[in-house]
């Protein structure tokens, strides 16, 4: 080769110079657990399905939800969404409206008739499920997906448990409920309605069931003993709400003065239903202060908007001549309500008790010797199995926060353990990643984008019927809402690391395939780590 | 969703990834050059810049964008300085484009000659870029540069401003900010650091030549930087681009903070992002989330002496804040408008 004067070496690329040897810390891609996922009692991969929804890929997003939770349209409406309280975006502006997107996806599935294809039954077991509430439905669904045969026995005339006989239709329209239950039944579950199980062992023996999941709920209302001259009829919230399933006579409580005793969500549902049944006056009586009401504040707010009155720091002491005898309480310094002895009278035509529910201990299980009903709750181990081998339980009847999402989570967990049992293996839940905390994000890269709120039904229509209160997000809003997700702790392929490396030491592998770090050249400056919006890269010290 | 031919997305998008290098949710055309798998990597791996070098980053950003804009028909002329030294230790080169180095102070003149040669050879499509550090551009190379402007030679001159002579060990230049510590303005004595009322503003001087295009850019504002390079390459005649590139070594900042430091320079108003054509300002980038200058200063050891308290320091900090405030006023940088970066 011709070389100019005084040039002795061939020119070559600096690629021969491996600057990676300068490094004392290496960047590595990690997966962290986003707070929303960590908070979901049903174990949904929220961030994972938002990722698909962001692209407008609703079917894929829905399928991702369905891996964990068979009831997205119901969840999107009634779940108390602990995910949103945990959402990191709350620290920027407002939480991502996870429930609204979930509802949108659930409704898309119903609209388009999307269904789940059952896994090929490699080994088929036969499982009995008692109770068709969310826990039973979830167990049935997951067992079906895992290739088992299931039979559900239900005492009531229709399936759904408290989804149907508790949650009023203004929060959960029945066509939505029916569609999501039908989809599970269509997968091949045998559902036997109006079939209360009384002798469990007999049913198991007869049907040759290899495992059983019971989820009977906690539907027995607590009552109080009141000095009562019989001048005001007493009912309980469960009874009242249950009666709404069969016929709604819009004027059933026309002109009546209704008192609801209790401060939980159930009391609020009963009160709001009474308004819709034409009651002239509806008052919630609660023994502590308003701040202490266990009902969710947004539900209390909606109730107050609908003209439900709140009388807090009151106990009901008796019923006399068409009046409730109330006792006033005061808050002490320690915020404890103390009785004052001061009496107050309140005219009423109906008293509805909403003082909580208990597990029916006279149920079909009580006789079994291995069963432990501690403090009225059925005890289970970490695999959701009761003291009796092969008998699993979940939902409201086991010790837990009682809500539909916990119930769905129980059903899923029990199904996975039952599946393992029937296959002679054990189920080990996947290890959880370290949390994706807010501090790890580089929020500069996220534009301000306040949440879109769902439309709310007009007050007049809310007060006069059982039409759904919260409306749908339309598609563009759902898409917007999904895109507000910060992708905490997991790469969303924004290309920041690929762009920010002064040493060109990050290779882009293409859509869906992420990035690779060229350790031959990475000097370990940490720029990619600092500029990653979602905290998906970490510094690991090199061995020197 | 995001194919090449989809219509321009006008929606005010991006809750997520709005300001990131790429974004899988927008059209390929609307993503940055740096986001593309086939960017030219004009400045490739194995160079010997320090960890977190802003100049290495800024040069790849700018030259890759120019390569895209010229369909890869590009020659670069480099002044002496870090960018030249760390990319081309004989016999290696990190440049994947035709590239030439002559002297410290003559890059503008050499580039003018290269552009003339291309014209004479009838290679109209081949475009010329000159590039250098702030010392090579604003001090020693200033005569050649002003001549290139004044003759309106068909060259884009890019100055990578790291605010001192870094390659020879951090000596003060006319771009060194007031109060900053350098090897020649030590943080000692009654007036530590670079003296007040010194230095010059080259983008404004370039504008005074009435050349077709002058702009400032930053490694912390990639989309803006690429848009400016692209605009510059769509024009002919003398053009000037001044890019702010933090130097972890000379500034005493952490290597992983390079982009953050550059970002704070923008957010504080100390480094305004502007664009001018034929001597008139045509656009400025409004500041998103403004911050006080101390947020910027405190990440850099070259300003550490200023932050040790005392009346004198308070007065100096107020003076630096005034510089930022004046920039904000002069270019109307804090206003109600969706910022580009
Ligand atoms: C009014 C009200 C509103 C609520 N609102 C919400 C809400 O908005 N969000 C939320 O998360 N949670 C809500 N909850 C709580 C939630 O409904 C329960 O936590 C959840 O339904 C529990 O599910 P489960 O499957 O354990 O039991 P359940 O839903 O109670 O279902 C148990 C089923 O078992 C059947 N069964 C019982 N005994 C037998 C037997 N011997 N043989 C056959 N079948 C039997 C019952 O008929 C019933 O269908 C509400 C509860 C009430 C009462
Ligand atoms: C005429 C001449 N004087 C001095 C030098 C020594 N020298 C080489 S690079 C450099 C400093 C470069 O500073 P700048 O242009 O700001 O670029 P940086 O290294 O900071 O990127 C100096 C003084 C030289 N090469 N030629
Ligand atoms: S921003 Fe997204 S990933 Fe992060 S907590 Fe909220 S929904 Fe989950
Ligand atoms: S930005 Fe590049 S050099 Fe710096 S740590 Fe990341 S991969 Fe390594
Ligand atoms: Mg310099």
């Amino acid at each position: 080769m011709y070389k100019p004067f005084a040039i002795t070496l061939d020119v070559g690329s600096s690629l021969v110079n491996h600057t990676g040897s300068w490094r004392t810390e290496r960047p590595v891609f990690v997966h962290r657990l986003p707070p929303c996922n960590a908070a979901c009692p049903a174990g949904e991969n929220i961030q994972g399905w938002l990722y698909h929804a962001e692209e407008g890929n609703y079917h894929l997003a829905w399928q991702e939800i369905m891996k964990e939770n068979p009831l997205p349209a119901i969840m999107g409406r009634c779940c108390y969404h602990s995910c949103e309280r945990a959402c990191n975006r709350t620290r920027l502006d407002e939480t991502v409206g996870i429930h609204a997107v979930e509802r949108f996806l659930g409704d898309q599935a119903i609209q388009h008739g999307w269904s789940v294809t059952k896994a090929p039954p490699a080994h088929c077991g036969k499982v009995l499920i008692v109770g068709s509430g969310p826990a039973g439905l979830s167990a049935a669904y997951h067992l079906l997906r895992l290739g088992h045969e299931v039979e559900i026995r239900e005492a009531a005339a229709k399936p759904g448990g408290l989804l149907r006989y508790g949650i009023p239709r203004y929060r959960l329209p029945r066509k939505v409920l029916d569609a999501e239950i039908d989809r599970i039944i269509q997968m091949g579950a045998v559902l036997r309605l109006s079939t209360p199980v009384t002798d469990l062992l007999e049913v198991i023996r007869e049907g040759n069931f290899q495992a059983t999941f019971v989820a009977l709920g906690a539907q027995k209302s607590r009552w109080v003993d009141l000095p009562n001259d019989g001048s005001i009829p007493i009912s309980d919230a469960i009874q009242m709400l249950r009666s709404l399933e069969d016929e709604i006579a819009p004027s059933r409580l026309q002109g009546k003065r209704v008192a609801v005793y209790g401060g939980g969500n159930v009391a609020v549902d009963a009160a709001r239903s009474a308004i819709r049944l034409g009651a002239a006056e509806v008052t919630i009586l609660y023994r502590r202060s308003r701040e202490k009401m266990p009902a969710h504040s947004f539900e209390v707010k909606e109730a107050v908007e609908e003209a439900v009155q709140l009388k807090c720091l009151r106990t009901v002491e008796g019923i006399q001549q068409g009046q409730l005898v109330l006792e006033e309480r005061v808050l002490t310094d320690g915020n404890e309500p103390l009785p004052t002895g001061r009496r107050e009278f309140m005219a009423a035509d109906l008293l509805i008790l909403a003082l909580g529910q208990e597990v029916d201990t006279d149920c079909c299980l009580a006789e079994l010797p291995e069963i432990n009903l501690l403090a009225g709750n059925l005890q289970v181990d970490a695999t959701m199995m009761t003291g009796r081998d092969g008998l699993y339980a979940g939902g409201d009847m086991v010790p837990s926060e009682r809500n539909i999402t916990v119930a769905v989570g129980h059903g899923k967990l029990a199904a996975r353990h039952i599946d393992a049992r029937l296959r002679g293996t054990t189920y080990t839940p996947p290890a959880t990643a370290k949390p994706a905390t807010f501090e790890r994000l580089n929020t500069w890269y996220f534009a301000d984008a306040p949440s879109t709120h769902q439309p709310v039904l007009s007050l007049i229509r809310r007060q006069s019927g059982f039409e759904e209160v919260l409306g749908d997000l339309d598609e563009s809003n759902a898409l917007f809402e999904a895109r507000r997700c910060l992708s905490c702790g997991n790469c969303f392929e924004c290309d920041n690391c690929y762009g920010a490396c002064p040493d060109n030491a990050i290779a882009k592998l293409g859509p869906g395939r992420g990035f690779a770090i060229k350790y031959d050249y990475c000097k370990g400056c940490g720029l990619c780590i600092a500029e990653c919006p979602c905290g998906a890269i970490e510094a690991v010290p090199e061995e020197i | 969703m995001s194919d090449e031919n989809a219509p321009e997305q006008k929606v005010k998008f991006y809750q997520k990834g709005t300001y990131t290098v790429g974004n899988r949710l927008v059209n390929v055309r609307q993503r940055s050059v740096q986001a593309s798998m086939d960017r030219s990597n004009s400045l490739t791996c194995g160079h010997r810049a320090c960890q977190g070098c802003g100049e290495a980053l800024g040069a790849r950003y700018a030259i890759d964008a120019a390569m895209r804009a010229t369909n890869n028909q590009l020659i670069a002329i480099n002044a002496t300085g870090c960018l030249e030294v760390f990319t081309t230790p004989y016999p290696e080169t990190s440049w994947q484009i035709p590239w030439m180095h002559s002297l410290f102070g003559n890059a503008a003149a050499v580039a003018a000659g290269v552009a003339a040669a291309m014209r004479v050879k009838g290679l109209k499509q081949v475009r010329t870029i000159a590039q250098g550090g702030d010392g090579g551009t604003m001090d020693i190379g200033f005569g050649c540069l002003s001549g290139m402007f004044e003759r309106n030679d068909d060259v884009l001159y890019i100055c990578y401003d790291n605010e001192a002579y870094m390659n020879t060990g951090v000596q003060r230049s006319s771009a060194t900010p007031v109060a900053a510590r350098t090897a020649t303005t030590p943080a000692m004595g009654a007036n530590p650091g670079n003296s007040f009322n010194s230095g010059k503003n080259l983008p404004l001087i370039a504008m005074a030549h009435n050349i077709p295009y002058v702009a400032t850019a930053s490694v912390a504002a990639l989309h803006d930087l690429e848009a400016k390079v692209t605009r510059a390459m769509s024009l002919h005649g003398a053009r000037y681009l001044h890019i702010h590139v933090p130097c972890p070594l000379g500034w005493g900042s952490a290597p992983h903070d390079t982009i953050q430091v550059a970002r704070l320079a923008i957010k504080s108003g100390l480094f305004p992002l502007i664009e001018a054509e034929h001597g008139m300002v045509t656009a400025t980038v409004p500041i998103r989330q403004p911050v006080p200058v101390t947020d910027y200063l405190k990440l850099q050891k070259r300003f550490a002496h200023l932050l040790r308290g005392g009346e004198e320091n308070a007065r100096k900090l107020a003076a630096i804040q005034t510089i930022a405030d004046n920039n904000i006023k002069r270019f109307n940088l804090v206003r109600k408008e969706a910022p580009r970066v």
Side-chain angles (χ1 to χ4, degrees):
Chain A
M1 191 185 150
Y2 165 77
K3 293 204 174 75
F5 174 71
I7 300 289
T8 52
L9 299 172
D10 286 336
V11 173
S13 165
S14 64
L15 290 173
V16 296
N17 186 28
H18 286 183
T19 51
S21 61
W22 304 14
R23 196 173 55 232
T24 55
E25 284 188 327
R26 64 165 52 200
V28 281
F29 282 94
V30 294
H31 291 284
R32 289 260 182 161
L33 180 65
C36 52
N37 291 14
C40 176
E44 286 187 26
N45 179 4
I46 296 164
Q47 187 186 78
W49 58 255
L50 283 172
Y51 184 89
H52 297 306
E54 280 156 30
E55 294 177 337
N57 210 333
Y58 305 129
H59 192 203
L60 214 57
W62 178 78
Q63 286 172 317
E64 184 66 39
I65 301 179
M66 293 293 286
K67 285 185 193 161
E68 314 295 338
N69 189 336
L71 308 170
I74 295 172
M75 290 296 145
R77 289 174 165 83
C78 300
C79 172
Y80 296 136
H81 39 78
S82 37
C83 53
E84 295 189 9
R85 259 163 292 154
C87 173
N88 274 333
R89 180 134 206 160
T90 322
R91 308 261 295 265
L92 272 190
D93 38 41
E94 285 175 84
T95 171
V96 172
I98 298 169
H99 77 278
V101 182
E102 185 175 35
R103 166 175 169 168
F104 171 80
L105 294 170
D107 288 356
Q108 289 281 303
I110 295 173
Q111 214 175 71
H112 300 295
W114 293 337
S115 60
V116 176
T117 36
K118 194 171 131 183
H123 165 92
C124 239
K126 196 176 170 198
V127 184
L128 170 68
I129 291 170
V130 188
S132 68
L137 288 170
S138 162
Y141 167 82
H142 285 287
L143 285 164
L144 287 166
R145 283 196 81 159
L146 291 165
H148 303 281
E149 232 177 276
V150 300
E151 179 171 328
I152 309 172
R153 302 265 176 124
E154 170 55 59
K158 291 180 194 169
L162 286 177
L163 295 174
R164 184 184 301 277
Y165 293 109
I167 300 177
R169 56 185 78 199
Y170 62 82
R171 292 202 290 122
L172 177 56
R174 295 311 187 238
K175 61 177 195 327
V176 172
L177 175 64
D178 291 338
E180 293 212 315
I181 294 178
D182 278 352
R183 199 170 48 218
I184 296 172
I185 305 306
Q186 292 307 318
M187 287 169 68
V190 176
L191 172 64
R192 297 179 59 182
L193 297 169
S194 308
T195 315
V197 171
T198 44
D199 186 345
L200 183 63
L201 296 185
E202 180 56 25
V203 175
I204 295 173
R205 203 172 318 117
E206 227 175 73
N208 245 328
F209 294 105
Q210 290 153 288
T212 304
F213 178 71
V214 289
L216 311 181
Q219 297 201 11
K220 209 171 99 184
S221 293
R222 264 181 221 130
W223 278 61
V224 277
D225 257 342
L226 295 172
N228 181 358
D229 66 6
S231 57
I232 302 177
I234 307 180
S235 173
D236 69 67
I238 296 291
Q239 209 174 309
M240 180 228 192
L241 293 167
R242 171 173 282 266
S243 73
L244 295 179
E245 183 56 23
D246 302 320
E247 37 86 51
I248 292 181
S251 53
R252 218 165 74 192
L253 293 176
Q254 197 64 48
K256 296 263 167 44
R257 294 159 302 179
V258 177
V260 180
Y261 191 22
N265 289 315
V266 179
V268 175
D269 277 338
R272 295 178 70 186
S273 295
I275 291 273
R276 286 164 172 75
L277 292 170
E281 260 175 44
V282 179
T283 312
I284 288 179
L285 302 168
Y286 180 53
R287 65 193 175 92
R288 293 165 171 270
S289 60
R290 171 159 183 182
E291 297 70 46
K292 285 274 163 77
M293 280 178 82
H296 290 101
S297 59
F298 69 91
E299 295 208 41
V300 178
K301 186 178 142 266
E302 284 177 354
V304 170
E305 283 166 7
E306 290 164 9
V308 170
Q309 298 174 44
L310 298 182
K311 237 186 216 295
C312 292
L313 291 166
R314 297 290 190 287
T315 51
V316 180
E317 297 297 325
I319 295 175
Q320 273 174 28
Q321 298 163 1
Q323 306 221 72
L324 297 174
V325 185
L326 308 180
E327 182 180 353
E328 224 180 288
R329 303 184 133 211
V330 283
L331 281 187
T332 60
D333 294 343
N335 244 345
E336 268 312 300
L338 283 187
T340 57
R342 277 198 298 278
R343 302 253 145 158
E344 189 184 332
F345 295 88
M346 184 184 138
D349 303 308
L350 174 64
L351 174 63
I352 298 175
L353 302 179
L355 302 170
Q357 293 88 239
E358 287 164 2
V359 178
D360 185 354
T361 44
D362 303 334
C363 68
C364 58
L365 298 165
E367 322 279 76
L368 301 179
E370 308 92 331
I371 294 302
N372 184 0
L373 275 163
L374 190 71
N377 284 318
L378 184 57
Q379 303 300 305
V380 288
D381 64 15
T383 72
M384 305 308 292
M385 192 160 82
T386 64
R388 189 183 171 85
D389 196 45
L391 180 62
Y392 295 75
D396 279 4
M397 71 183 311
V398 308
S400 68
E401 230 177 284
R402 290 176 178 171
N403 63 53
I404 58 176
T405 326
V406 166
V408 165
H410 285 172
K412 179 178 85 171
L413 188 61
R416 295 199 172 154
H417 285 292
I418 291 171
D419 174 62
R421 176 191 179 85
L422 299 187
R423 292 178 192 281
T425 57
T426 45
Y427 170 72
T428 351
T432 45
K434 286 192 261 175
T437 53
F438 183 78
E439 290 66 31
R440 296 171 55 87
L441 308 178
N442 186 336
T443 57
W444 169 253
Y445 290 102
F446 302 111
D448 303 337
S451 181
T452 347
H453 295 279
Q454 289 161 274
V456 181
L457 192 66
S458 79
L459 207 49
I460 291 296
R461 278 162 70 190
R462 278 160 65 180
Q463 287 169 327
S464 56
F466 282 80
E467 212 176 319
E468 189 167 19
V469 172
L470 282 182
D472 295 316
L473 288 186
D474 64 22
E475 194 204 316
S476 66
N477 286 337
L479 197 63
F480 179 91
E481 212 37 52
R483 287 176 173 179
R484 292 181 63 242
C485 170
L486 310 175
S487 195
C488 311
N490 295 290
C491 174
F492 64 97
E493 295 183 27
C494 71
D495 298 325
N496 261 16
C497 55
Y498 178 55
C501 178
D503 289 275
N504 189 23
I506 293 192
K508 176 168 171 167
L509 305 177
R513 299 173 52 212
F515 305 87
I517 296 167
K518 300 187 253 177
Y519 291 111
D520 277 351
Y521 302 107
C522 164
K523 293 172 186 159
C525 69
L527 257 176
C528 51
I529 300 171
E531 297 307 315
C532 174
C534 43
I537 316 178
E538 258 168 46
V540 176
E542 290 287 359
E543 279 178 34
I544 308 170
Chain B
M1 266 213 71
S2 43
D3 62 303
E4 201 76 57
N5 302 319
E8 185 90 0
Q9 283 161 307
K10 291 239 170 52
V11 253
K12 224 184 82 199
F13 235 139
Y14 289 138
Q15 307 79 269
K16 172 171 196 159
T18 312
Y19 304 107
T20 52
V21 170
N23 188 331
R24 68 192 161 92
L25 302 173
V26 288
N27 295 340
V28 173
R29 272 182 301 129
Q30 276 168 277
R31 301 182 204 171
S32 71
V33 174
Q34 287 304 309
S36 82
M37 286 176 75
D38 54 9
R39 71 185 189 200
S40 43
N41 287 323
S42 318
L43 176 48
T44 192
C45 316
H47 63 69
R48 292 155 195 241
C50 302
Q51 294 171 319
C53 172
E55 192 167 70
L57 186 60
R60 195 189 71 231
Y61 282 178
I63 304 300
D64 279 2
M67 285 284 277
R68 165 83 61 95
T70 59
N71 218 356
N72 303 336
Q73 300 295 302
L74 197 69
I75 296 178
I77 313 304
N78 219 117
T80 311
C82 279
L83 185 62
E84 169 255 328
V85 171
F86 72 64
T87 57
T88 51
Y90 175 71
E92 291 167 18
T93 179
S94 307
W95 294 102
Q96 311 207 74
I97 55 163
W99 178 92
M100 195 160 98
H101 165 240
S102 170
L103 291 174
F104 191 15
N106 68 354
V110 174
V114 170
M118 292 304 128
R119 194 179 65 238
V120 170
K121 294 185 84 173
L123 294 172
K124 259 171 64 185
Q125 76 284 8
V126 179
R127 310 291 305 274
T128 310
I129 281 184
Q131 53 184 358
D134 48 293
T137 305
M138 300 171 60
D139 298 342
I140 186 167
F142 184 63
C144 291
L145 182 66
S146 180
M148 184 203 105
F149 286 164
E150 175 269 320
R151 293 187 304 271
N152 200 24
D153 292 316
D154 190 13
V155 173
L156 168 64
Y157 192 104
I158 302 177
C159 170
Y160 300 102
D161 182 5
N162 53 19
E163 304 185 336
Y165 292 75
M166 296 310 181
N167 186 57
T168 40
V170 199
Q171 293 84 16
R172 177 201 175 275
S173 80
S174 59
T176 301
V178 297
R181 177 199 71 192
T182 67
T184 47
T185 56
M188 293 189 300
N191 278 308
N194 190 25
S195 55
F196 277 74
N197 301 314
S198 65
K200 57 174 132 171
N201 186 326
L202 196 51
L204 294 184
I205 297 171
M207 280 168 63
H209 291 75
N210 286 330
I211 54 176
Y213 190 76
V214 174
T216 59
S218 165
V219 285
L222 174 64
H223 291 273
D224 179 66
L225 184 155
E226 289 187 351
K228 285 169 174 169
V229 172
T230 308
R231 175 69 183 151
M233 295 319 291
S234 75
L235 301 171
H236 283 270
R239 289 144 290 142
Y240 180 69
L241 182 63
H242 190 101
I243 306 181
H244 202 220
V245 291
C247 166
L249 178 87
W251 297 13
S253 52
H256 64 253
D257 271 340
T258 293
I259 294 179
Q260 172 68 351
V261 167
R263 184 182 295 135
L264 289 168
I266 300 171
K267 285 166 67 164
S268 63
L270 283 174
F271 192 86
L273 294 175
I274 65 163
E275 216 172 357
E277 296 192 9
H278 301 290
M280 300 293 288
V281 174
T282 51
T284 63
V285 177
I287 298 175
R288 181 161 68 100
Q289 303 168 8
V291 296
V293 291
T294 44
D295 280 21
Y296 169 66
L297 303 175
K298 70 185 178 202
L299 289 183
Q300 307 171 51
K301 291 209 188 75
R302 62 176 173 159
F303 295 113
H305 56 279
L306 273 183
L307 300 166
R308 294 208 181 108
E311 241 171 69
E312 184 58 18
N313 280 335
R315 211 176 46 76
K316 286 182 177 167
L317 287 173
I320 296 175
Q321 184 62 54
T322 304
I323 297 173
D325 292 345
N326 287 346
N327 283 338
I328 290 171
K329 254 182 256 159
R330 179 186 230 158
F331 298 113
N332 185 23
L333 297 178
V334 176
R335 55 184 196 255
K336 274 207 162 71
E337 186 184 305
R340 209 165 33 167
V341 288

